[in-house]
Amino acid sequence: MRFRVMLPCLSVAATLALVGCHADHHGAPAPAPAPAYTLGGTISGLNASGLVLADTGQTLAVTEGASSFSFGAVLTAHSSYSVTVQTQPAGQTCSVTDGTGTADSANVANVVVVCSEQAYSLGGTVSGLTTTGLVLANGAGAVSVAANATTFTFATPVA
């Protein structure tokens, strides 16, 4: 008789344990997790290392030469995102277009990152120039230096 009494108790206990794992305290099934959507986009012009993108506390190191990026499945429906450049690559400047928005019910893949060589002003100092006619050239760019000038700067920055 003990065997018969113990078996139904174990069976009921096992059933209650399973229900407790898959239902709330009212016996309803647990809700399904919210779907997750990826956040990413394209990259152009990246030819140096060191680019780090950021979105709401998450960072993503992007390898030199990459043409796309993805933070992975980090968005849920109606969540906002804001992709920014946290760290610029060596010798380049990158900017983000379409980096902010709110996720609908689909992956976000339209963020655009464009990188270009850093541009620097090219110029210098002059001393002892007392006459007109001095023209300095850099490739296709040229600058006329006036008499008695102490500095010059080319109009077009260089990489």
Side-chain angles (χ1 to χ4, degrees):
M1 285 270 188
R2 280 188 173 174
F3 183 74
R4 286 187 198 172
V5 172
M6 291 177 74
L7 184 56
C9 290
L10 288 176
S11 178
V12 169
T15 301
L16 288 174
L18 288 175
V19 169
C21 292
H22 299 288
D24 64 14
H25 67 281
H26 299 296
Y37 303 106
T38 60
L39 172 60
T42 60
I43 300 175
S44 64
L46 180 61
N47 60 17
S49 62
L51 175 62
V52 178
L53 300 176
D55 172 58
T56 320
Q58 296 187 33
T59 60
L60 176 67
V62 182
T63 59
E64 179 179 347
S67 61
S68 64
F69 70 94
S70 177
F71 281 91
V74 296
L75 301 173
T76 58
H78 311 296
S79 63
S80 61
Y81 59 91
S82 179
V83 177
T84 59
V85 175
Q86 179 176 324
T87 306
Q88 296 286 357
Q92 288 194 291
T93 301
C94 299
S95 60
V96 178
T97 305
D98 294 328
T100 59
T102 302
D104 292 324
S105 297
N107 295 331
V108 173
N110 65 325
V111 179
V112 177
V113 178
V114 176
C115 301
S116 59
E117 299 301 315
Q118 287 180 338
Y120 300 94
S121 294
L122 177 60
T125 59
V126 178
S127 64
L129 182 63
T130 58
T131 61
T132 61
L134 177 61
V135 177
L136 301 174
N138 180 42
V143 62
S144 294
V145 182
N148 300 313
T150 57
T151 63
F152 69 94
T153 304
F154 285 91
T156 304
V158 295

